[in-house]
Amino acid sequence: MKSESNLEKVLEAGKFAVTSEIGPPKSADGNVVRKKTGILKNFVDAANITDNQTAIVRLSSIAAASILLQEGIEPVAQMTVRDRNRIAIQSDILGAAALGVKNVLCLSGDHQKFGNHPSSKNVFDIDSMQLIRMLKDMRDAKKFQCGDEMDVEPRLFIGAAANPFADPFEFRVHRLAKKIDAGVDFIQTQGIYDINRFEKWLEEARSEGLTEKVYILGGVIPLKSAGAAKYIKNKVAGMIVPDSLIDRMKNAADPKQEGIKIAIETIEQLKDMKGVHGVHIMAIEWEEKVPEIVKESGLLPRPSV
Amino acid sequence: MDEILEMLARYERILLLGCGTCVTVCLAGGEREVGILAGQLRIHARQEGKSAQVDEHTIERQCEKEWVEEIKDRVEGVDVVMSMACGVGVQLVAEMYPEKPVFPALNTTFMGYPAQHGIWFENCRGCGNCVLHLSGGVCPITRCAKSLLNGPCGGSQNGECEIDKEIECAWQVIYDRLKKTGRLEWMNNYQPPRDWSTAGSGGPRRSVKIEEVLD
Ligand code: SF4
Ligand code: SF4
């Protein structure tokens, strides 16, 4: 096994994996992380910790991951290439591994234009593809990016994102193939609302044999309101929300409950798709709904492996 | 303009020095703009009730010593030189006349060609290791907001960049061009991390063409 992480073991055992996401606070209050951890414990196999998502400064993902370990949930530390060069990333990865972090998700990161420090200088020394390869070389060849060797390598389960809804669509499966070649172990997709487009992407990935080479966790983001659905459709680059879904939210008596229902239906569909190995539930500042979603989707109890 | 007035506040005799090459073409610092700025400075001085001597002169190129040498007498006759060249020209004039203050009249922004009359886009950051022959003639370092090398990020949609709908996603353009010319394999293959030492991260850059060096 590459990392011995719980997530890796669950997937290796052929179980349908469940991950979720925790956004650290915009303050030094570690108790916020502890509280969110308490909500998710026993309902997920691992929880992602976002890394200054949307370029807004938050408590560090590796520090929060370390809190998760104390609280007994396995973290997936997200790592963007926006804010760190290859020196800082490798150093942080060694530190994370020393603290016991076993899963890392490699991301480009949202542009700082969207965040609370739009006048900052970005880094982008390497891209997310190169980050995957760098971590793989650190783990498997015990080598830094420069080629120098290390004694003790970080044993990591390497993840990355995939977005079947971005353009050019024809390139999206090639990009997945590239990430696999670069060394990725698992994929968490962008939130799925357009299930047809997702299936088209998956079908292509399957026919290229890619779903045999990597674990794919379908992304699910429960909607809170019709307004939120419209916002995602119009304002969040690289996402598709079909109008039928927006109408459904608009006509619902209890939109929040409808959003949960849609999420559960999506998970039910994902469970039946060949080549989907799990689900990644991103309930942004709505973590308290994750237990219900997992339970109603028939994904309890979580396996102990 | 306020920035320029602030820089010049302490000086009476000013040489406004235009440049006849790139900044003339991009309508920022040629003879015409020198004339306009000189007029504005004179009006401002009059409004303030001050006396000001504003000399106007434009040389062919402020980035070549030969041209900059020719204006020795003019420079000696003023208190300050306001250069309307790019950052390169300003620095050469300052280096050749170290006893004179030399100020930039422009905020040099980028290298680009006009997309249409009056609109310029950034095209090249002078990274020192060009990939245009591989990337379909579109620079990913400059024109992708994240300088990605392995294809579009997850925010690319409808050919627009995630940071601004007015900006094309460079990778969509690269994809289209490479597809048209049957060269997609560059995009499908893994591109390793770049050596940014040629792009300014190796410290100030220096370029030597040995056969041209006269000693
Ligand atoms: S690759 Fe480098 S040299 Fe070539 S256009 Fe881009 S920035 Fe300029
Ligand atoms: S949308 Fe395109 S140009 Fe903009 S950052 Fe992403 S890949 Fe680069």
Side-chain angles (χ1 to χ4, degrees):
Chain A
M1 223 168 266
K2 289 163 174 158
S3 69
E4 304 276 332
S5 82
N6 186 54
L7 181 60
E8 182 179 10
K9 286 184 201 158
V10 168
L11 288 165
E12 280 274 289
K15 313 265 192 233
F16 194 81
V18 178
T19 56
S20 188
E21 179 177 285
I22 290 177
K26 290 186 251 184
S27 78
D29 188 359
N31 286 326
V32 174
V33 180
R34 284 192 187 90
K35 210 178 124 221
K36 290 183 176 182
T37 308
I39 297 171
L40 297 182
K41 198 168 173 178
N42 299 323
F43 291 96
V44 298
D45 303 316
N48 287 33
I49 309 290
T50 54
D51 176 15
N52 298 304
Q53 200 169 24
T54 61
I56 290 173
V57 178
R58 288 172 184 276
L59 194 150
S60 114
S61 66
I62 291 170
S66 157
I67 296 177
L68 256 68
L69 287 167
Q70 292 163 9
E71 299 295 312
I73 291 199
E74 185 172 273
V76 179
Q78 297 195 175
M79 171 74 71
T80 75
V81 295
R82 177 193 59 223
D83 309 322
R84 302 172 187 82
N85 69 7
R86 62 192 87 176
I87 299 172
I89 293 175
Q90 292 178 99
S91 163
D92 280 352
I93 287 294
L94 296 181
L99 287 169
V101 174
K102 291 178 179 157
N103 311 295
V104 172
L105 190 80
C106 304
L107 300 169
S108 317
D110 301 312
H111 196 274
Q112 76 274 12
K113 182 175 175 175
F114 302 112
N116 59 357
H117 291 74
S119 54
S120 63
K121 186 173 195 288
N122 59 32
V123 180
F124 297 118
D125 172 23
I126 57 175
D127 62 26
S128 58
M129 197 75 67
Q130 295 158 350
L131 173 58
I132 296 168
R133 172 66 61 87
M134 188 167 84
L135 299 193
K136 183 185 162 61
D137 288 346
M138 287 173 84
R139 179 189 69 196
D140 295 348
K142 294 192 183 197
K143 279 197 173 140
F144 289 102
Q145 193 271 330
C146 61
D148 286 358
E149 296 195 7
M150 68 188 87
D151 290 339
V152 179
E153 75 283 16
R155 308 290 316 159
L156 298 172
F157 197 43
I158 304 170
N163 186 356
F165 311 105
D167 290 325
F169 180 67
E170 316 86 76
F171 183 68
R172 291 294 149 183
V173 170
H174 290 294
R175 189 159 161 85
L176 175 65
K178 266 180 100 160
K179 288 190 174 176
I180 294 170
D181 285 344
V184 79
D185 302 312
F186 71 99
I187 292 285
Q188 291 171 322
T189 77
Q190 177 59 284
I192 303 162
Y193 298 110
D194 184 347
I195 200 100
N196 295 332
R197 170 121 161 193
F198 179 75
E199 281 197 287
K200 222 169 111 192
W201 174 82
L202 187 69
E203 166 66 49
E204 231 181 281
R206 239 187 345 241
S207 70
E208 307 253 333
L210 302 180
T211 54
E212 307 287 315
K213 296 184 187 158
V214 72
Y215 297 112
I216 295 175
L217 280 60
V220 173
I221 309 175
L223 293 166
K224 277 184 181 167
S225 65
K230 261 193 248 158
Y231 180 85
I232 294 175
K233 177 190 161 107
N234 297 324
K235 294 277 170 337
V236 184
M239 293 195 75
I240 300 177
V241 185
D243 289 332
S244 58
L245 218 57
I246 297 176
D247 289 341
R248 199 174 144 186
M249 289 298 287
K250 222 186 293 176
N251 299 330
D254 181 350
K256 286 193 173 161
Q257 212 42 49
E258 195 66 19
I260 302 289
K261 217 171 131 199
I262 294 170
I264 295 165
E265 285 170 19
T266 309
I267 296 173
E268 292 290 354
Q269 284 174 291
L270 290 174
K271 275 161 70 183
D272 290 336
M273 285 182 204
K274 200 168 161 267
V276 176
H277 308 90
V279 62
H280 177 50
I281 305 165
M282 295 166 271
I284 300 151
E285 294 305 325
W286 212 19
E287 286 92 348
E288 66 272 20
K289 287 289 171 191
V290 173
E292 180 185 336
I293 297 173
V294 177
K295 182 165 168 270
E296 297 301 321
S297 307
L299 293 169
L300 288 181
R302 298 311 310 146
S304 60
V305 281
Chain B
M1 189 65 198
D2 288 346
E3 281 179 70
I4 293 177
L5 291 174
E6 203 185 312
M7 283 188 255
L8 294 177
R10 295 172 40 216
Y11 304 94
E12 217 171 85
R13 296 175 304 160
I14 301 158
L15 171 60
L16 261 192
L17 188 61
C19 180
T21 308
C22 316
V23 289
T24 294
V25 178
C26 68
L27 315 177
E31 204 170 343
R32 199 175 74 121
E33 291 75 37
V34 167
I36 295 169
L37 181 59
Q40 288 169 326
L41 291 176
R42 287 188 197 110
I43 291 168
H44 178 79
R46 211 172 306 136
Q47 283 168 345
E48 302 271 295
K50 289 191 207 156
S51 69
Q53 170 200 328
V54 183
D55 297 351
E56 301 173 35
H57 189 61
T58 298
I59 58 176
E60 191 59 33
R61 268 192 286 286
Q62 284 189 36
C63 57
E64 281 191 47
K65 284 193 179 170
E66 289 71 19
W67 299 100
V68 179
E69 241 157 36
E70 284 182 1
I71 55 166
K72 194 160 184 282
D73 293 344
R74 287 177 190 272
V75 173
E76 274 165 11
V78 296
D79 303 322
V80 63
V81 179
M82 186 58 136
S83 163
M84 295 198 62
C86 68
V88 178
V90 179
Q91 293 190 54
L92 180 59
V93 176
E95 185 180 316
M96 292 185 63
Y97 301 103
E99 69 288 352
K100 280 286 172 230
V102 178
F103 296 156
L106 306 180
N107 287 320
T108 305
T109 315
F110 58 74
M111 294 179 264
Y113 60 78
Q116 67 186 66
H117 202 79
I119 301 178
W120 289 264
F121 286 125
E122 180 178 18
N123 297 108
C124 172
R125 285 192 189 158
C127 78
N129 187 7
C130 199
V131 296
L132 287 175
H133 57 300
L134 302 166
S135 62
V138 178
C139 174
I141 313 289
T142 311
R143 291 174 58 185
C144 166
K146 300 177 186 171
S147 298
L148 304 178
L149 278 169
N150 280 289
C153 75
S156 170
Q157 204 166 26
N158 307 321
E160 297 154 359
C161 173
E162 71 166 30
I163 74 158
D164 187 341
K165 287 190 187 307
E166 294 285 307
I167 296 173
E168 280 179 311
C169 168
W171 277 103
Q172 177 74 53
V173 185
I174 294 172
Y175 180 81
D176 293 342
R177 294 234 184 116
L178 292 181
K179 192 174 172 189
K180 223 176 262 167
T181 50
R183 295 185 293 161
L184 270 178
E185 76 279 11
W186 179 69
M187 232 175 124
N188 289 336
N189 291 335
Y190 172 78
Q191 302 303 323
R194 276 177 76 85
D195 173 359
W196 295 107
S197 67
T198 60
S201 289
R205 288 170 281 180
R206 175 189 147 97
S207 177
V208 179
K209 200 163 184 193
I210 199 75
E211 64 277 23
E212 296 291 333
V213 178
L214 315 165
D215 42 17

